[in-house]
Amino acid sequence: MDLVVFGIVWIIITAVAEWLMHHYVGHNSMYFLLSNQGNITLHAFNFLTTMLIPVFLFVIWFLVFSAIRFHANSPEAKQSRHQFTKNGLFTGVWITASIAVNLLFWLHPTAADLEQMFASQLPSAQRNDLVVDVTARQWEWIFSYPQYHLTQTVNAAGQDELVIPAHKKVQFVLRSYDPFHTYDVEAGVIHSFWVPAFGIKEDVIPGETRYEYIVANRTASYQTNPEVRVQCAEVCGPGHPWMEAPIRIVTASQFHAWVAKQQKMEAASGA
Amino acid sequence: MAQNVVATNTHKVRVMPPMLRGFLWAGIAFLLLNSITAAIRPDVGHPFFTEVSITIGWVGAVIGWLLGVGAYEGMVLPLFGVTPRVGEATDWRRYFAFATDHKVVGIQYLTSSGCAFILAGGIAMTMRIELASSTMYFFHYSDQYLSAVGVHGAIMMFSVATVALVGGLGNYMVPLMIGAKTSVFSKLSGLGQWLIPAGVLTLAFSPILGYWTTGWRGYEPLGSQDASGIIFYYLGVAALTMSSVIVSLNLVVTIVFNRAPGVTWARLPMFVWGILTVSILNLIWLPEIQMTFILQLLDRLVPLNLFNAAGSVLTQLELFWLFGHPEVYIVVVPAFALWNEIIPVMAQKSLFARSWAVIGLIFVMMLSGLVWAHHMFTNMRNSEMFPFSFFTEMISIPTGFAFMAAIGTLWKSRYRLTTPGLLILMSIFNFLHGGVTGVFLADPPVNLQVHDTMFVVAHFHYTIIGGMVFSWIAAMYYWLPKMSGRMYNEFWGKFLSIWIFIAFNTAFSTMFLVGLEGMNRWVPTYPPYLHPLNLIISIAAWTLGVGFVLHAVHIVWAWKKGPRAPENPWNGHTLEWLTSSPPPQHNFDVTPEVIDGFYNYGDDADPIVANLSELKPKQT
């Protein structure tokens, strides 16, 4: 009888939770994402949530059920009526299910998604739509566009600014050093290149060059959503909290107009 | 000067209070070694205090402190065949000096850990004050905030989470639970306890040498360019980890060699299994992190360029997490063991699937050394992601065995929802959140998004506060009648438990959301759109902090003034309940002879001890 009540309520609350998750949370997205990589992340997140809701609610509901149904009415030590130390069916199902669920998670989403992610990083998959050199120094993100001979792009306020076109594959080349250091440009610490809206971050490590590939799938900017920003995610000293830069994701024609303006500015400043 | 009068066998001797003498000797040793270093240093004109001289002076200070609190009489003089003028005190003063009775040492450890918990918790409160606003208004400079993060993390990890259940309850309970009269290397544990105040004070005062910004992980090359305060981070952690290493050595040897007749491996109590596995983890991994921090210290003092762009930055990260992930199981494995120690007693029902629960502990112990690099998915080659995500997901299988045993025991039981019983259920509830969010973190694509965000901060606070601290408080209430002979107040115990449960879950479930919405770690300021949720977290965190302090007040009150407790208030079957409360110096007048397991309940359960009538008669 306990088993039937427990099971039925478990199924009901699981169904309700799954419905809520898919009608509200799943569609509103857990976080704001607008890249190809972000889609992979979001699907993985939602898949894991879908699969874990029954597991999670099984234990939570069990704890609540025990506290209601199995609590003793007095603090006196009275032996429980039912005494058993094993139940082959329960143990067998539990162990088999936990192995199966974990293997499943490793195959999907982990292995399946990583295969997609790695494929986008293969040299044969590169079209060199746009290359952006990203230099992390203490404490600034410097963006250079070698294809357009831009050494450091800034906005009207003089702040470093990252502008990329939507629907183009962007290769970010990530390095940590300090080109403005007076005597030791190799001095650098670990930073982490993170754009929350891209759904991925990559640590930027002194002495290493790393790559990240992103296709942004719509236009946006820091003004339309504050998650469209470059944020250093790895603590890098006292300036870490302010090591951020706004991003604009624009159309191809807006991008070319912006490049022309930047080239003019750099020519004017003699850079 | 205040002087103690210590009674010895023959006459009374006036001695300086040991802790005062410890401070004095520490100060003298520091100045002495610092001066020698300054004197022999070849370059002329350097300041009197340098990083090198402070490091060497600190080593002297710790040795002076340990000798001063009583290791001189307890360990050094006997080594040379000299009988010390004074022995260990027998009254309350023994709690304030080097001691060898495992129960005294256990209480000393619990006190040290408890004070460190309140201290580092208070530091967390200052962080939450700062984060209640999106701009800087409490700290003046961000490196003050980052130092607070580092000191909070290091004290909590190395002197609370690693210590309270092992050095504290492990020292006190393990010999009792296996029917031993003493621990084997009782002087080691006695010495280890006094490394805790040394390490905690070193960490707490590290900012006097300059603010350091790395947090408790001490990542390089940031650490090498930080102010000198980070030296006290390396040294403080060295003292604290050394404490856990020597305590673990004592506990492992005690469990292997000092079990009463009949306490076979198959009958070993669950909590003892937990302490055994965690002690082995300590013995394997703590020396590894000690060597890493020594390398980092030398890298800075010499300097060696081991871990900057000229050396290998990633090596330091790998070495840190090689220890760092076993560390989280060092924290939580004794908590798993406590669940299945306390649930059968509160349910008065036989422990379900005991062998699976033990296998779970052992496999968690073994697998924990194979998963470290999942802290570094943002740093690794693609090919490495597969094995590390695989092992990380697999470790949830043995972890699940602890849940399975708990659930099987609760099913159709008569569970007494006493304060410890309630807290254990809360601990399972909380740890489940930590475990389930851990599955998300094990998936590299999700990890690459939420790594280094408040999502991760919420995740590990769920496992450590939610899992370990809730279990710790549960165990304090559970064993309070044993350790003090007194009982707590059931209303206040439950009321405060519900208080911390609600405050904890409000604070840290909201923290998952700010992480998902793009809040990174180690920041005293953040974009304004994150302000409302952070304000909720701060209010709830403060409520939680007050709740913890009230629990501490309640436990201390009950310890001193609570009503007298019956001899075996929960009707537990483990051996610690077969002696008086608090237990006499050598625990048992007669060594118990165990003839059955400790977790069998029911009317037809066999007797557990053969010589029950010879053991100390029950007081009424």
Side-chain angles (χ1 to χ4, degrees), chain A residues 151-202:
Chain A
T151 51
Q152 183 174 8
T153 56
V154 292
N155 64 14
Q159 296 165 321
D160 290 285
E161 186 184 37
L162 176 63
V163 176
I164 58 168
H167 310 299
K168 297 274 188 202
K169 189 164 183 177
V170 184
Q171 180 191 42
F172 292 102
V173 183
L174 309 170
R175 295 189 189 89
S176 170
Y177 66 99
D178 190 347
F180 302 137
H181 198 287
T182 45
Y183 58 91
D184 184 4
V185 296
E186 295 302 327
V189 300
I190 304 176
H191 302 276
S192 190
F193 180 70
W194 183 38
V195 179
F198 284 175
I200 188 171
K201 67 174 67 67
E202 182 74 27

Side-chain angles (χ1 to χ4, degrees), chain A residues 1-3 6 30-33 37 40-41 44-46 48-49 52 55-60 62-63 65-67 69-72 74-87 90-91 94-95 98-99 102-103 105-107 109-111 113-115 117-118 121 138-139 186 188-190 192 194-208 210 222 226-227 229 231-242 244, chain B residues 136 142-143 146 213-215 217 219-222 225-226 308-309 313-314 317 347-354 356 377-380 382-383 385-387 389-390 393-394 396-397 400-401 403-404 406-418 425 428-429 432-433 436 439-440 442-453 455 515-525 527-530 569-571 573 599-604:
Chain A
M1 186 59 199
D2 286 333
L3 194 62
F6 176 80
M30 294 278 175
Y31 30 76
F32 181 81
L33 291 165
Q37 178 65 35
I40 293 177
T41 305
F45 195 99
N46 288 344
L48 289 172
T49 311
L52 285 170
V55 179
F56 179 74
L57 289 178
F58 178 85
V59 180
I60 297 292
F62 185 88
L63 294 171
F65 186 75
S66 299
R69 183 71 185 83
F70 299 138
H71 76 270
S74 79
E76 300 298 314
K78 273 201 209 124
Q79 306 283 303
S80 290
R81 261 170 315 195
H82 302 270
Q83 298 287 348
F84 50 89
T85 56
K86 48 173 84 95
N87 180 331
F90 174 67
T91 317
W94 180 287
I95 294 172
S98 65
I99 293 174
N102 280 291
L103 283 176
F105 286 167
W106 188 65
L107 292 171
T110 300
D113 286 351
L114 284 180
E115 200 177 344
M117 197 177 125
F118 298 167
Q121 300 172 357
Q138 287 169 304
W139 293 276
E186 295 302 327
V189 300
I190 304 176
S192 190
W194 183 38
V195 179
F198 284 175
I200 188 171
K201 67 174 67 67
E202 182 74 27
D203 279 13
V204 192
I205 296 215
E208 293 189 22
R210 296 179 168 191
Y222 183 71
E227 294 191 47
R229 69 182 195 274
Q231 175 77 59
C232 180
E234 184 58 65
V235 65
C236 53
H240 168 64
W242 298 282
E244 54 194 9
Chain B
M136 296 268 289
S142 72
D143 50 4
L146 291 170
T213 61
T214 60
R217 307 162 313 161
Y219 269 14
E220 295 288 3
L222 182 60
Q225 58 154 259
D226 263 341
N308 58 21
V313 177
L314 273 182
L317 273 63
Q348 293 291 296
K349 179 162 172 290
S350 305
L351 176 58
F352 180 79
R354 178 182 181 281
W356 284 105
F377 280 136
T378 53
N379 277 313
M380 64 170 59
N382 290 344
S383 56
M385 288 187 182
F386 285 108
S389 66
F390 178 79
E393 273 159 15
M394 289 306 124
S396 61
I397 296 169
F401 294 170
F403 282 92
M404 183 177 75
I407 282 176
T409 312
L410 283 167
W411 183 253
K412 288 189 185 291
S413 67
R414 288 179 180 223
Y415 192 72
R416 287 175 290 166
L417 279 174
T418 55
L425 295 190
I428 298 176
F429 177 97
L432 179 72
H433 288 69
V436 164
V439 176
F440 289 92
D443 179 56
V446 176
N447 182 291
L448 292 177
Q449 170 69 347
V450 294
H451 176 76
D452 278 349
T453 67
F455 185 90
L516 290 175
E517 294 199 350
M519 180 165 172
N520 51 326
R521 297 173 64 181
W522 301 293
V523 287
T525 71
Y529 76 100
L530 296 165
W570 317 119
N571 193 29
H573 287 184
Y599 300 101
N600 298 326
Y601 287 87
D603 297 329
D604 51 348

Side-chain angles (χ1 to χ4, degrees), chain B residues 524-538:
Chain B
T525 71
Y526 47 83
Y529 76 100
L530 296 165
H531 179 248
L533 288 178
N534 268 294
L535 190 61
I536 294 173
I537 299 172
S538 286

